[in-house]
Amino acid sequence: RRHVSKVYSCVWPPDAPAMPYWNGLLALLVCLSGVAVPLQLAFEHAFTSAWEMPSYVMDACFLIDIFVQFRTGFMHEGHLVMDPSNIA
């Protein structure tokens, strides 16, 4: 059972409906980066501007995830922590 003492704006519960989709997207991007970065380093001449935009999009998603993780509550000893100061 969850115990929440106060409701904070812009703090998402860890079981929010969109979280599995967001985490799945990030897992896919991590796997894609794990393949793409070594290929980019090995074949610099082949990876020109065609790969530049997808790379920036992936970087933006990872930066957005930092914000999302600092605004997502978590469970601690059976209590749902939703206070932004405790999350950080």
Side-chain angles (χ1 to χ4, degrees):
R1 183 161 184 220
R2 291 201 246 173
H3 303 284
V4 179
S5 59
K6 186 177 177 183
V7 177
Y8 294 91
S9 63
C10 290
V11 176
W12 302 288
D15 58 351
M19 289 306 285
Y21 298 108
W22 178 251
N23 290 332
L25 172 67
L26 288 174
L28 180 67
L29 292 177
V30 166
C31 292
L32 184 59
S33 292
V35 172
V37 170
L39 288 175
Q40 282 178 318
L41 293 173
F43 305 104
E44 289 182 32
H45 61 281
F47 284 91
T48 58
S49 62
W51 187 250
E52 193 171 337
M53 185 54 114
S55 179
Y56 288 140
V57 170
M58 287 191 295
D59 291 344
C61 287
F62 293 135
L63 287 173
I64 292 168
D65 185 53
I66 293 171
F67 173 77
V68 169
Q69 294 305 316
F70 276 102
R71 302 307 291 178
T72 303
F74 64 95
M75 297 296 292
H76 179 70
E77 295 181 1
H79 297 283
L80 180 61
V81 178
M82 298 287 285
D83 183 3
S85 63
N86 290 337
I87 294 172

